[in-house]
PDB file of all heavy atoms in Angstrom:
ATOM      1  N   ALA A  26     -13.669  11.925   2.640  1.00 83.00           N
ATOM      2  CA  ALA A  26     -12.301  11.741   3.284  1.00 83.00           C
ATOM      3  C   ALA A  26     -12.388  11.576   4.857  1.00 83.00           C
ATOM      4  O   ALA A  26     -12.074  12.495   5.482  1.00 83.00           O
ATOM      5  CB  ALA A  26     -11.377  12.950   2.938  1.00 83.00           C
ATOM      6  N   HIS A  27     -12.933  10.319   5.113  1.00 86.00           N
ATOM      7  CA  HIS A  27     -12.888  10.072   6.637  1.00 86.00           C
ATOM      8  C   HIS A  27     -12.533   8.572   6.855  1.00 86.00           C
ATOM      9  O   HIS A  27     -12.897   7.710   5.966  1.00 86.00           O
ATOM     10  CB  HIS A  27     -14.371  10.342   7.183  1.00 86.00           C
ATOM     11  CG  HIS A  27     -14.381  10.410   8.673  1.00 86.00           C
ATOM     12  ND1 HIS A  27     -14.444   9.363   9.461  1.00 86.00           N
ATOM     13  CD2 HIS A  27     -14.395  11.489   9.472  1.00 86.00           C
ATOM     14  CE1 HIS A  27     -14.442   9.621  10.731  1.00 86.00           C
ATOM     15  NE2 HIS A  27     -14.396  11.117  10.725  1.00 86.00           N
ATOM     16  N   GLY A  28     -11.822   8.340   7.818  1.00 83.00           N
ATOM     17  CA  GLY A  28     -11.380   6.992   8.152  1.00 83.00           C
ATOM     18  C   GLY A  28     -12.473   5.981   8.297  1.00 83.00           C
ATOM     19  O   GLY A  28     -12.316   4.846   7.781  1.00 83.00           O
ATOM     20  N   ILE A 183       2.742  16.976   3.787  1.00 92.00           N
ATOM     21  CA  ILE A 183       1.379  17.447   4.147  1.00 92.00           C
ATOM     22  C   ILE A 183       1.377  17.764   5.646  1.00 92.00           C
ATOM     23  O   ILE A 183       1.106  18.930   6.114  1.00 92.00           O
ATOM     24  CB  ILE A 183       0.408  16.527   3.702  1.00 92.00           C
ATOM     25  CG1 ILE A 183       0.280  16.415   2.230  1.00 92.00           C
ATOM     26  CG2 ILE A 183      -0.989  16.929   4.330  1.00 92.00           C
ATOM     27  CD1 ILE A 183      -0.194  17.632   1.564  1.00 92.00           C
ATOM     28  N   MET A 184       1.536  16.718   6.487  1.00 90.00           N
ATOM     29  CA  MET A 184       1.400  16.927   7.979  1.00 90.00           C
ATOM     30  C   MET A 184       2.839  17.108   8.596  1.00 90.00           C
ATOM     31  O   MET A 184       3.738  16.526   8.200  1.00 90.00           O
ATOM     32  CB  MET A 184       0.816  15.619   8.613  1.00 90.00           C
ATOM     33  CG  MET A 184      -0.548  15.260   7.868  1.00 90.00           C
ATOM     34  SD  MET A 184      -1.820  16.436   8.137  1.00 90.00           S
ATOM     35  CE  MET A 184      -2.034  16.383   9.911  1.00 90.00           C
ATOM     36  N   GLU A 210      -0.334   9.159   7.158  1.00 91.00           N
ATOM     37  CA  GLU A 210      -1.041   8.728   8.276  1.00 91.00           C
ATOM     38  C   GLU A 210      -1.892   7.578   7.888  1.00 91.00           C
ATOM     39  O   GLU A 210      -2.353   7.411   6.808  1.00 91.00           O
ATOM     40  CB  GLU A 210      -2.073   9.895   8.582  1.00 91.00           C
ATOM     41  CG  GLU A 210      -1.505  11.182   9.178  1.00 91.00           C
ATOM     42  CD  GLU A 210      -2.533  12.117   9.577  1.00 91.00           C
ATOM     43  OE1 GLU A 210      -3.526  12.503   8.734  1.00 91.00           O
ATOM     44  OE2 GLU A 210      -2.585  12.669  10.696  1.00 91.00           O
ATOM     45  N   ILE A 216     -11.427   9.782  12.710  1.00 85.00           N
ATOM     46  CA  ILE A 216     -10.696  11.053  12.239  1.00 85.00           C
ATOM     47  C   ILE A 216     -10.678  11.059  10.652  1.00 85.00           C
ATOM     48  O   ILE A 216     -10.705   9.871  10.073  1.00 85.00           O
ATOM     49  CB  ILE A 216      -9.190  11.059  12.656  1.00 85.00           C
ATOM     50  CG1 ILE A 216      -9.154  11.077  14.276  1.00 85.00           C
ATOM     51  CG2 ILE A 216      -8.508  12.215  12.186  1.00 85.00           C
ATOM     52  CD1 ILE A 216      -7.840  11.026  14.922  1.00 85.00           C
ATOM     53  N   ASP A 217     -10.572  12.146  10.215  1.00 84.00           N
ATOM     54  CA  ASP A 217     -10.642  12.239   8.675  1.00 84.00           C
ATOM     55  C   ASP A 217      -9.367  11.690   8.092  1.00 84.00           C
ATOM     56  O   ASP A 217      -8.428  11.456   8.835  1.00 84.00           O
ATOM     57  CB  ASP A 217     -10.548  13.794   8.286  1.00 84.00           C
ATOM     58  CG  ASP A 217      -9.320  14.510   8.714  1.00 84.00           C
ATOM     59  OD1 ASP A 217      -8.305  14.352   7.976  1.00 84.00           O
ATOM     60  OD2 ASP A 217      -9.366  15.200   9.811  1.00 84.00           O
ATOM     61  N   SER A 218      -9.449  11.245   6.895  1.00 87.00           N
ATOM     62  CA  SER A 218      -8.275  10.693   6.165  1.00 87.00           C
ATOM     63  C   SER A 218      -7.669  11.658   5.185  1.00 87.00           C
ATOM     64  O   SER A 218      -6.977  11.291   4.315  1.00 87.00           O
ATOM     65  CB  SER A 218      -8.691   9.397   5.367  1.00 87.00           C
ATOM     66  OG  SER A 218      -9.648   9.639   4.224  1.00 87.00           O
ATOM     67  N   ALA A 219      -7.946  12.927   5.426  1.00 89.00           N
ATOM     68  CA  ALA A 219      -7.429  13.976   4.441  1.00 89.00           C
ATOM     69  C   ALA A 219      -5.978  14.014   4.416  1.00 89.00           C
ATOM     70  O   ALA A 219      -5.354  14.282   3.325  1.00 89.00           O
ATOM     71  CB  ALA A 219      -7.994  15.372   4.834  1.00 89.00           C
ATOM     72  N   GLY A 220      -5.263  13.881   5.535  1.00 90.00           N
ATOM     73  CA  GLY A 220      -3.838  13.848   5.605  1.00 90.00           C
ATOM     74  C   GLY A 220      -3.186  12.791   4.614  1.00 90.00           C
ATOM     75  O   GLY A 220      -2.311  13.127   3.890  1.00 90.00           O
ATOM     76  N   ARG A 221      -3.741  11.596   4.847  1.00 92.00           N
ATOM     77  CA  ARG A 221      -3.150  10.452   4.008  1.00 92.00           C
ATOM     78  C   ARG A 221      -3.581  10.724   2.532  1.00 92.00           C
ATOM     79  O   ARG A 221      -2.573  10.478   1.653  1.00 92.00           O
ATOM     80  CB  ARG A 221      -3.848   9.219   4.461  1.00 92.00           C
ATOM     81  CG  ARG A 221      -3.277   8.005   3.693  1.00 92.00           C
ATOM     82  CD  ARG A 221      -4.308   6.735   3.741  1.00 92.00           C
ATOM     83  NE  ARG A 221      -5.411   7.068   2.897  1.00 92.00           N
ATOM     84  CZ  ARG A 221      -6.443   6.274   2.658  1.00 92.00           C
ATOM     85  NH1 ARG A 221      -6.305   5.050   3.135  1.00 92.00           N
ATOM     86  NH2 ARG A 221      -7.374   6.604   1.939  1.00 92.00           N
ATOM     87  N   ASP A 222      -4.631  11.103   2.245  1.00 93.00           N
ATOM     88  CA  ASP A 222      -5.097  11.222   0.862  1.00 93.00           C
ATOM     89  C   ASP A 222      -4.383  12.338   0.173  1.00 93.00           C
ATOM     90  O   ASP A 222      -3.876  12.192  -0.944  1.00 93.00           O
ATOM     91  CB  ASP A 222      -6.684  11.565   0.716  1.00 93.00           C
ATOM     92  CG  ASP A 222      -7.501  10.346   1.359  1.00 93.00           C
ATOM     93  OD1 ASP A 222      -7.020   9.291   1.558  1.00 93.00           O
ATOM     94  OD2 ASP A 222      -8.731  10.509   1.592  1.00 93.00           O
ATOM     95  N   GLY A 223      -4.083  13.480   0.913  1.00 94.00           N
ATOM     96  CA  GLY A 223      -3.439  14.573   0.356  1.00 94.00           C
ATOM     97  C   GLY A 223      -2.055  14.220   0.070  1.00 94.00           C
ATOM     98  O   GLY A 223      -1.386  14.594  -0.839  1.00 94.00           O
ATOM     99  N   GLU A 224      -1.330  13.375   0.982  1.00 95.00           N
ATOM    100  CA  GLU A 224       0.049  13.082   0.850  1.00 95.00           C
ATOM    101  C   GLU A 224       0.245  12.203  -0.428  1.00 95.00           C
ATOM    102  O   GLU A 224       1.112  12.381  -1.256  1.00 95.00           O
ATOM    103  CB  GLU A 224       0.623  12.292   2.130  1.00 95.00           C
ATOM    104  CG  GLU A 224       2.157  12.043   1.897  1.00 95.00           C
ATOM    105  CD  GLU A 224       2.768  11.846   3.245  1.00 95.00           C
ATOM    106  OE1 GLU A 224       2.256  12.122   4.250  1.00 95.00           O
ATOM    107  OE2 GLU A 224       3.934  11.219   3.229  1.00 95.00           O
ATOM    108  N   ILE A 344      -8.207  17.255  -3.217  1.00 93.00           N
ATOM    109  CA  ILE A 344      -7.719  16.468  -2.163  1.00 93.00           C
ATOM    110  C   ILE A 344      -6.500  17.164  -1.460  1.00 93.00           C
ATOM    111  O   ILE A 344      -6.465  17.310  -0.242  1.00 93.00           O
ATOM    112  CB  ILE A 344      -7.386  15.169  -2.689  1.00 93.00           C
ATOM    113  CG1 ILE A 344      -8.649  14.325  -2.992  1.00 93.00           C
ATOM    114  CG2 ILE A 344      -6.546  14.356  -1.557  1.00 93.00           C
ATOM    115  CD1 ILE A 344      -8.404  12.989  -3.628  1.00 93.00           C
ATOM    116  N   GLU A 347      -7.648  20.318   0.548  1.00 91.00           N
ATOM    117  CA  GLU A 347      -8.297  19.918   1.757  1.00 91.00           C
ATOM    118  C   GLU A 347      -7.265  19.629   2.725  1.00 91.00           C
ATOM    119  O   GLU A 347      -7.373  19.892   3.993  1.00 91.00           O
ATOM    120  CB  GLU A 347      -9.295  18.861   1.531  1.00 91.00           C
ATOM    121  CG  GLU A 347     -10.058  18.450   2.778  1.00 91.00           C
ATOM    122  CD  GLU A 347     -11.104  17.378   2.511  1.00 91.00           C
ATOM    123  OE1 GLU A 347     -11.225  16.919   1.415  1.00 91.00           O
ATOM    124  OE2 GLU A 347     -11.645  16.913   3.470  1.00 91.00           O
ATOM    125  N   ALA A 348      -6.185  18.812   2.406  1.00 90.00           N
ATOM    126  CA  ALA A 348      -5.201  18.493   3.207  1.00 90.00           C
ATOM    127  C   ALA A 348      -4.313  19.663   3.810  1.00 90.00           C
ATOM    128  O   ALA A 348      -4.014  19.667   4.930  1.00 90.00           O
ATOM    129  CB  ALA A 348      -4.327  17.460   2.548  1.00 90.00           C
ATOM    130  N   ARG A 349      -4.201  20.546   2.957  1.00 89.00           N
ATOM    131  CA  ARG A 349      -3.391  21.711   3.295  1.00 89.00           C
ATOM    132  C   ARG A 349      -4.128  22.571   4.332  1.00 89.00           C
ATOM    133  O   ARG A 349      -3.578  23.284   5.212  1.00 89.00           O
ATOM    134  CB  ARG A 349      -2.921  22.657   2.129  1.00 89.00           C
ATOM    135  CG  ARG A 349      -1.895  21.900   1.118  1.00 89.00           C
ATOM    136  CD  ARG A 349      -1.502  22.983   0.062  1.00 89.00           C
ATOM    137  NE  ARG A 349      -0.754  22.351  -0.832  1.00 89.00           N
ATOM    138  CZ  ARG A 349      -1.166  21.930  -2.063  1.00 89.00           C
ATOM    139  NH1 ARG A 349      -2.338  22.327  -2.416  1.00 89.00           N
ATOM    140  NH2 ARG A 349      -0.354  21.449  -2.979  1.00 89.00           N
ATOM    141  N   LEU A 351      -5.953  21.367   6.800  1.00 87.00           N
ATOM    142  CA  LEU A 351      -6.158  20.706   7.973  1.00 87.00           C
ATOM    143  C   LEU A 351      -5.656  21.539   9.172  1.00 87.00           C
ATOM    144  O   LEU A 351      -4.610  22.138   9.203  1.00 87.00           O
ATOM    145  CB  LEU A 351      -5.580  19.336   7.942  1.00 87.00           C
ATOM    146  CG  LEU A 351      -6.251  18.190   7.123  1.00 87.00           C
ATOM    147  CD1 LEU A 351      -5.379  17.112   7.145  1.00 87.00           C
ATOM    148  CD2 LEU A 351      -7.760  17.976   7.715  1.00 87.00           C
ATOM    149  N   ARG A 353      -5.139  20.309  12.587  1.00 85.00           N
ATOM    150  CA  ARG A 353      -4.880  19.251  13.551  1.00 85.00           C
ATOM    151  C   ARG A 353      -3.540  18.704  13.452  1.00 85.00           C
ATOM    152  O   ARG A 353      -2.906  18.910  12.402  1.00 85.00           O
ATOM    153  CB  ARG A 353      -5.853  18.135  13.354  1.00 85.00           C
ATOM    154  CG  ARG A 353      -5.837  17.331  12.221  1.00 85.00           C
ATOM    155  CD  ARG A 353      -6.728  16.050  12.307  1.00 85.00           C
ATOM    156  NE  ARG A 353      -6.693  15.338  10.974  1.00 85.00           N
ATOM    157  CZ  ARG A 353      -5.792  14.506  10.626  1.00 85.00           C
ATOM    158  NH1 ARG A 353      -4.713  14.361  11.406  1.00 85.00           N
ATOM    159  NH2 ARG A 353      -5.939  13.820   9.608  1.00 85.00           N
TER     160      ARG A 353
END
Side-chain angles (χ1 to χ4, degrees):
H27 197 280
I183 295 293
M184 304 297 295
E210 290 183 312
I216 299 178
D217 65 82
S218 65
R221 183 206 67 176
D222 300 348
E224 184 162 339
I344 290 172
E347 183 179 357
R349 293 190 186 102
L351 284 176
R353 63 167 175 81

